[in-house]
Amino acid sequence: MTVEAAAGWSSLPEWLTVRALVIDTGTGRRGEVQPWPYYSEKPPTSAWLRPEGGGKEWTAPIDGLRPARGQPAA
């Protein structure tokens, strides 16, 4: 299920799902999308990410994320 379907948000990219691997273009880091820690009727503007295999989470603007399929880890 997509993040937007779960929350009723229609403006988020279709590929942006919980556990999706993404590239944070602002930092060049590759991470896994984490569940949003709060509920809001408005779609979020940033996502919670965690490095593959674990580590310290960070947030990144959604408009700066790209699917990581086929991309090497940074």
Side-chain angles (χ1 to χ4, degrees):
M1 173 181 298
T2 66
V3 172
E4 67 180 33
W9 300 323
S10 61
S11 64
L12 296 178
E14 187 175 305
W15 51 263
L16 187 63
T17 60
V18 173
R19 295 190 307 256
L21 292 176
V22 297
I23 301 292
D24 174 356
T25 61
T27 64
R29 296 174 70 188
R30 180 174 160 139
E32 182 179 275
V33 176
Q34 300 300 294
W36 270 256
Y38 55 87
Y39 175 79
S40 174
E41 291 185 11
K42 295 180 182 179
T45 57
S46 59
W48 288 88
L49 305 174
R50 182 181 63 198
E52 287 182 273
K56 186 174 179 176
E57 295 180 338
W58 78 98
T59 59
I62 289 173
D63 61 0
L65 299 178
R66 301 292 176 260
R69 184 170 280 196
Q71 300 268 346

